[in-house]
Protein backbone atom coordinates (compact mmCIF):
# COMPACT_ATOMS: atom_id res chain seq x y z
CA UNK A 1 0.00 0.00 0.00
CA UNK A 2 1.36 3.40 -0.99
CA UNK A 3 0.82 6.28 1.43
CA UNK A 4 1.23 9.79 0.05
CA UNK A 5 2.28 12.00 2.94
CA UNK A 6 4.78 14.65 3.93
CA UNK A 7 6.78 12.60 6.43
CA UNK A 8 10.36 11.69 7.24
CA UNK A 9 10.32 8.21 8.75
CA UNK A 10 13.81 8.36 10.25
CA UNK A 11 13.18 11.41 12.40
CA UNK A 12 9.56 10.53 13.17
CA UNK A 13 10.12 6.91 14.20
CA UNK A 14 13.70 7.15 15.42
CA UNK A 15 13.70 9.91 18.01
CA UNK A 16 12.01 8.30 20.99
CA UNK A 17 8.31 9.05 20.58
CA UNK A 18 7.42 5.38 20.19
CA UNK A 19 9.54 2.39 21.14
CA UNK A 20 8.48 -0.51 18.94
CA UNK A 21 10.01 0.58 15.65
CA UNK A 22 13.32 -0.84 14.43
CA UNK A 23 15.15 0.10 11.26
CA UNK A 24 16.77 -2.56 9.09
CA UNK A 25 18.46 -1.47 5.88
CA UNK A 26 16.03 1.03 4.33
CA UNK A 27 12.85 -0.02 6.13
CA UNK A 28 11.22 0.47 9.51
CA UNK A 29 9.38 -2.42 11.16
CA UNK A 30 6.93 -1.93 14.00
CA UNK A 31 3.76 -3.28 15.56
CA UNK A 32 0.37 -1.59 15.40
CA UNK A 33 -2.34 -3.57 17.15
CA UNK A 34 -2.06 -7.16 15.94
CA UNK A 35 -0.19 -6.35 12.75
CA UNK A 36 3.52 -6.26 12.00
CA UNK A 37 4.03 -3.22 9.80
CA UNK A 38 6.96 -2.48 7.50
CA UNK A 39 7.44 1.03 6.12
CA UNK A 40 9.85 2.08 3.39
CA UNK A 41 10.45 5.75 2.65
CA UNK A 42 9.68 7.17 -0.80
CA UNK A 43 10.03 10.68 -2.18
CA UNK A 44 6.36 11.44 -1.55
CA UNK A 45 5.57 9.26 1.47
CA UNK A 46 6.17 5.58 2.07
CA UNK A 47 5.30 2.04 1.07
CA UNK A 48 3.37 0.25 3.82
CA UNK A 49 3.34 -3.54 4.10
CA UNK A 50 1.58 -5.69 6.68
CA UNK A 51 -1.84 -4.04 6.70
CA UNK A 52 -4.54 -2.92 4.31
CA UNK A 53 -6.01 -0.55 6.91
CA UNK A 54 -5.09 2.81 5.43
CA UNK A 55 -7.04 4.71 8.08
CA UNK A 56 -4.97 3.07 10.82
CA UNK A 57 -1.77 4.37 9.25
CA UNK A 58 -3.12 7.83 8.45
CA UNK A 59 -4.42 8.22 12.00
CA UNK A 60 -1.16 7.00 13.54
CA UNK A 61 0.86 9.54 11.57
CA UNK A 62 -1.63 12.36 12.18
CA UNK A 63 -2.09 12.87 8.47
CA UNK A 64 -4.41 15.83 9.06
CA UNK A 65 -1.62 17.89 10.63
CA UNK A 66 -0.74 20.74 8.28
CA UNK A 67 3.04 20.54 8.56
CA UNK A 68 3.63 23.64 6.45
CA UNK A 69 1.45 25.73 8.75
CA UNK A 70 2.88 24.18 11.91
CA UNK A 71 6.48 24.55 10.79
CA UNK A 72 5.85 28.13 9.71
CA UNK A 73 4.28 28.94 13.05
CA UNK A 74 7.08 27.62 15.28
CA UNK A 75 9.77 28.90 12.91
CA UNK A 76 8.37 32.42 13.07
CA UNK A 77 8.81 32.40 16.83
CA UNK A 78 12.41 31.26 17.09
CA UNK A 79 15.40 31.36 14.73
CA UNK A 80 17.06 28.33 16.33
CA UNK A 81 13.99 26.14 15.84
CA UNK A 82 13.62 27.54 12.32
CA UNK A 83 17.09 26.21 11.49
CA UNK A 84 16.23 22.81 12.96
CA UNK A 85 13.01 22.66 10.95
CA UNK A 86 14.83 23.51 7.74
CA UNK A 87 17.28 20.67 8.38
CA UNK A 88 14.63 18.07 9.27
CA UNK A 89 11.56 18.45 7.11
CA UNK A 90 8.84 15.85 7.53
CA UNK A 91 9.09 15.04 11.22
CA UNK A 92 5.64 14.34 12.64
CA UNK A 93 4.09 13.84 16.05
CA UNK A 94 2.56 10.36 16.29
CA UNK A 95 -0.89 9.43 17.58
CA UNK A 96 -0.37 6.37 19.77
CA UNK A 97 -3.08 4.16 21.37
CA UNK A 98 -3.98 5.48 24.83
CA UNK A 99 -3.53 2.33 26.90
CA UNK A 100 -0.30 1.35 25.18
CA UNK A 101 1.18 4.84 25.40
CA UNK A 102 0.45 5.30 29.11
CA UNK A 103 1.71 1.81 29.98
CA UNK A 104 4.86 2.36 27.91
CA UNK A 105 5.68 5.67 29.55
CA UNK A 106 5.20 4.19 33.01
CA UNK A 107 7.95 1.77 32.00
CA UNK A 108 9.99 4.58 30.46
CA UNK A 109 10.68 6.56 33.64
CA UNK A 110 14.38 7.22 34.27
CA UNK A 111 15.62 5.14 31.33
CA UNK A 112 17.28 5.92 28.02
CA UNK A 113 15.70 5.17 24.65
CA UNK A 114 17.54 1.88 24.14
CA UNK A 115 16.63 0.62 27.61
CA UNK A 116 13.00 1.62 27.20
CA UNK A 117 12.76 -0.29 23.93
CA UNK A 118 14.25 -3.39 25.52
CA UNK A 119 11.84 -3.27 28.46
CA UNK A 120 8.80 -2.75 26.24
CA UNK A 121 9.78 -5.69 24.05
CA UNK A 122 10.28 -7.89 27.11
CA UNK A 123 6.77 -7.05 28.30
CA UNK A 124 5.35 -7.85 24.86
CA UNK A 125 7.19 -11.19 24.67
CA UNK A 126 6.09 -12.17 28.16
CA UNK A 127 2.43 -11.14 27.99
CA UNK A 128 1.53 -10.42 24.37
CA UNK A 129 0.59 -12.71 21.49
CA UNK A 130 2.98 -13.98 18.84
CA UNK A 131 1.95 -12.27 15.61
CA UNK A 132 4.68 -13.59 13.37
CA UNK A 133 8.11 -12.90 14.76
CA UNK A 134 6.91 -9.94 16.81
CA UNK A 135 4.49 -9.73 19.73
CA UNK A 136 1.39 -7.64 20.26
CA UNK A 137 1.33 -5.10 23.05
CA UNK A 138 -0.56 -6.95 25.80
CA UNK A 139 -4.00 -5.98 27.01
CA UNK A 140 -4.59 -5.24 30.70
CA UNK A 141 -6.32 -8.62 31.02
CA UNK A 142 -3.34 -10.47 29.54
CA UNK A 143 -1.03 -8.78 32.02
CA UNK A 144 -3.22 -9.26 35.09
CA UNK A 145 -3.85 -12.93 34.32
CA UNK A 146 -0.10 -13.67 34.37
CA UNK A 147 1.17 -10.88 36.61
CA UNK A 148 3.42 -13.22 38.58
CA UNK A 149 5.64 -13.36 35.48
CA UNK A 150 6.44 -9.66 35.55
CA UNK A 151 9.79 -10.41 37.19
CA UNK A 152 10.90 -11.97 33.89
CA UNK A 153 10.70 -8.54 32.24
CA UNK A 154 13.44 -6.94 34.36
CA UNK A 155 11.62 -3.67 34.91
CA UNK A 156 13.11 -3.06 38.34
CA UNK A 157 11.12 -0.70 40.56
CA UNK A 158 8.71 -0.08 37.65
CA UNK A 159 7.19 -3.56 38.04
CA UNK A 160 4.69 -2.72 40.77
CA UNK A 161 3.60 0.50 39.06
CA UNK A 162 3.07 -1.26 35.77
CA UNK A 163 1.01 -4.06 37.32
CA UNK A 164 -1.01 -1.63 39.42
CA UNK A 165 -1.94 0.40 36.36
CA UNK A 166 -2.90 -2.72 34.38
CA UNK A 167 -5.11 -3.83 37.28
CA UNK A 168 -6.84 -0.46 37.50
CA UNK A 169 -7.59 -0.42 33.78
CA UNK A 170 -8.73 -4.05 33.85
CA UNK A 171 -11.00 -3.43 36.87
CA UNK A 172 -12.49 -0.31 35.34
CA UNK A 173 -11.01 2.07 37.92
CA UNK A 174 -9.26 3.97 35.14
CA UNK A 175 -10.36 4.27 31.54
CA UNK A 176 -7.64 5.65 29.25
CA UNK A 177 -10.22 6.49 26.59
CA UNK A 178 -12.12 8.73 29.03
CA UNK A 179 -9.36 11.35 28.74
CA UNK A 180 -9.67 11.63 24.98
CA UNK A 181 -11.73 14.80 24.78
CA UNK A 182 -10.48 16.55 27.90
CA UNK A 183 -8.74 19.93 27.64
CA UNK A 184 -4.98 19.83 28.14
CA UNK A 185 -5.01 20.90 31.80
CA UNK A 186 -7.68 18.40 32.80
CA UNK A 187 -5.94 15.64 30.86
CA UNK A 188 -2.68 16.32 32.73
CA UNK A 189 -4.52 16.38 36.08
CA UNK A 190 -5.99 12.93 35.44
CA UNK A 191 -2.70 11.49 34.20
CA UNK A 192 -0.87 12.72 37.30
CA UNK A 193 -3.19 10.58 39.43
CA UNK A 194 -1.52 7.47 38.01
CA UNK A 195 1.31 6.10 40.12
CA UNK A 196 4.58 6.51 38.23
CA UNK A 197 3.38 9.43 36.11
CA UNK A 198 5.02 12.77 36.84
CA UNK A 199 4.80 16.06 34.92
CA UNK A 200 7.24 15.06 32.17
CA UNK A 201 5.63 11.67 31.55
CA UNK A 202 2.17 13.24 31.63
CA UNK A 203 3.24 15.73 28.97
CA UNK A 204 4.69 12.93 26.82
CA UNK A 205 1.40 11.03 26.98
CA UNK A 206 -0.67 14.17 26.38
CA UNK A 207 1.42 14.97 23.30
CA UNK A 208 1.94 11.51 21.81
CA UNK A 209 -1.46 9.99 22.53
CA UNK A 210 -4.08 12.65 23.25
CA UNK A 211 -3.14 15.17 20.59
CA UNK A 212 -2.30 18.08 22.87
CA UNK A 213 0.24 19.67 20.57
CA UNK A 214 0.91 22.42 23.11
CA UNK A 215 2.42 19.90 25.56
CA UNK A 216 6.18 20.36 25.99
CA UNK A 217 7.82 17.39 27.78
CA UNK A 218 10.96 18.44 29.63
CA UNK A 219 13.62 15.84 30.38
CA UNK A 220 17.29 16.40 31.19
CA UNK A 221 18.13 16.82 27.51
CA UNK A 222 15.49 19.51 26.99
CA UNK A 223 16.51 21.18 30.26
CA UNK A 224 20.00 21.53 28.82
CA UNK A 225 18.64 23.07 25.62
CA UNK A 226 16.49 25.55 27.50
CA UNK A 227 19.49 26.56 29.60
CA UNK A 228 22.11 26.67 26.86
CA UNK A 229 20.04 28.17 24.03
CA UNK A 230 17.47 30.27 25.86
CA UNK A 231 19.13 30.93 29.23
CA UNK A 232 16.16 29.44 31.08
CA UNK A 233 16.46 27.44 34.29
CA UNK A 234 14.08 26.62 37.10
CA UNK A 235 11.18 24.37 38.03
CA UNK A 236 9.25 22.22 35.59
CA UNK A 237 6.32 24.61 35.82
CA UNK A 238 8.50 27.63 35.07
CA UNK A 239 10.10 25.98 32.05
CA UNK A 240 6.75 24.74 30.74
CA UNK A 241 5.30 28.23 31.04
CA UNK A 242 8.25 29.67 29.12
CA UNK A 243 7.93 27.05 26.36
CA UNK A 244 4.20 27.57 25.89
CA UNK A 245 4.51 31.36 25.87
CA UNK A 246 7.33 31.14 23.33
CA UNK A 247 6.00 28.45 20.99
CA UNK A 248 2.26 28.51 21.59
CA UNK A 249 -0.20 25.90 20.40
CA UNK A 250 2.47 23.85 18.58
CA UNK A 251 5.02 23.82 21.40
CA UNK A 252 5.10 20.01 21.19
CA UNK A 253 6.40 20.13 17.65
CA UNK A 254 9.07 22.63 18.68
CA UNK A 255 10.03 20.29 21.51
CA UNK A 256 10.45 17.37 19.13
CA UNK A 257 12.80 19.34 16.90
CA UNK A 258 14.84 20.41 19.93
CA UNK A 259 14.87 16.87 21.31
CA UNK A 260 15.75 15.34 17.95
CA UNK A 261 18.72 17.66 17.46
CA UNK A 262 20.06 16.85 20.93
CA UNK A 263 19.40 13.13 20.49
CA UNK A 264 21.28 13.01 17.20
CA UNK A 265 24.16 14.98 18.71
CA UNK A 266 24.35 12.65 21.71
CA UNK A 267 24.33 9.59 19.44
CA UNK A 268 27.09 11.09 17.31
CA UNK A 269 29.20 11.85 20.37
CA UNK A 270 28.64 8.37 21.78
CA UNK A 271 29.71 6.84 18.48
CA UNK A 272 32.86 8.93 18.31
CA UNK A 273 33.78 7.79 21.81
CA UNK A 274 33.57 4.11 20.93
CA UNK A 275 36.91 2.25 20.63
CA UNK A 276 38.11 1.84 17.07
CA UNK A 277 37.17 -1.66 15.95
CA UNK A 278 40.55 -2.15 14.28
CA UNK A 279 42.62 -1.19 17.32
Amino acid sequence: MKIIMDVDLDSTLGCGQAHRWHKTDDSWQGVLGDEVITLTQTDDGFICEGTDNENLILDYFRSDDDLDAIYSDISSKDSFVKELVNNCKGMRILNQPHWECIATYIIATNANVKRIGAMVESVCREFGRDIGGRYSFPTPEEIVSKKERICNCRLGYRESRFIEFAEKVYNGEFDPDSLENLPYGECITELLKIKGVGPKVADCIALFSYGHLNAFPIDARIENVLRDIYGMEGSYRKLSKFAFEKFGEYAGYAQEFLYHSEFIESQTQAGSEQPNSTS
Side-chain angles (χ1 to χ4, degrees), residues 262-277:
E262 285 295 294
F263 179 74
I264 294 301
E265 182 177 344
S266 69
Q267 294 295 98
T268 301
Q269 292 175 349
S272 66
E273 292 169 2
Q274 294 298 314
N276 191 308
S277 61

Side-chain angles (χ1 to χ4, degrees), residues 96-114:
Q96 302 177 50
H98 304 325
W99 147 253
E100 181 175 338
C101 188
I102 299 174
T104 293
Y105 275 94
I106 288 174
I107 295 173
T109 53
N110 298 316
N112 61 35
V113 170
K114 183 177 180 180

Side-chain angles (χ1 to χ4, degrees), residues 33-79:
D34 291 333
E35 297 178 301
V36 180
I37 309 295
T38 301
L39 308 177
T40 305
Q41 186 82 58
T42 63
D43 290 339
D44 56 356
F46 53 84
I47 301 296
C48 175
E49 300 174 272
T51 183
D52 295 322
N53 189 344
E54 183 176 3
N55 288 333
L56 172 72
I57 302 301
L58 295 178
D59 182 63
Y60 186 74
F61 281 95
R62 294 184 57 90
S63 63
D64 289 337
D65 282 359
D66 185 341
L67 290 195
D68 287 340
I70 292 171
Y71 290 177
S72 176
D73 186 84
I74 59 177
S75 295
S76 70
K77 294 171 179 175
D78 184 69
S79 59

Side-chain angles (χ1 to χ4, degrees), residues 117-256:
M119 289 190 290
V120 171
E121 289 303 323
S122 70
V123 165
C124 294
R125 284 194 302 271
E126 195 65 39
F127 297 103
R129 285 156 283 122
D130 188 339
I131 52 176
R134 297 291 298 274
Y135 293 81
S136 63
F137 195 90
T139 64
E141 181 179 5
E142 287 171 330
I143 294 168
V144 171
S145 67
K146 299 178 286 188
K147 63 182 179 180
E148 70 281 355
R149 291 162 53 173
I150 189 64
C151 58
N152 297 334
C153 300
R154 301 181 181 275
L155 305 185
Y157 68 87
R158 305 167 188 84
E159 289 181 2
S160 60
R161 298 174 179 181
F162 183 73
I163 293 297
E164 179 179 317
F165 179 61
E167 290 177 332
K168 286 188 174 182
V169 176
Y170 176 65
N171 294 330
E173 296 177 52
F174 184 90
D175 178 9
D177 293 340
S178 68
L179 278 58
E180 188 164 334
N181 296 315
L182 293 181
Y184 167 71
E186 293 180 30
C187 180
I188 292 295
T189 297
E190 293 304 311
L191 289 170
L192 289 174
K193 294 177 182 179
I194 303 170
K195 187 175 181 179
V197 173
K200 178 256 182 177
V201 168
D203 270 330
C204 285
I205 297 166
L207 178 59
F208 301 140
S209 185
Y210 291 99
H212 293 293
L213 299 184
N214 60 317
F216 191 91
I218 302 168
D219 64 357
R221 189 172 282 123
I222 293 297
E223 278 189 0
N224 292 339
V225 173
L226 294 178
R227 182 194 65 226
D228 297 343
I229 303 299
Y230 304 104
M232 287 299 301
E233 295 183 271
S235 67
Y236 193 97
R237 178 174 292 185
K238 177 183 177 180
L239 296 178
S240 294
K241 184 174 184 290
F242 165 79
F244 180 73
E245 289 177 349
K246 185 168 184 63
F247 297 112
E249 61 181 321
Y250 301 122
Y253 264 96
Q255 190 270 1
E256 274 304 287

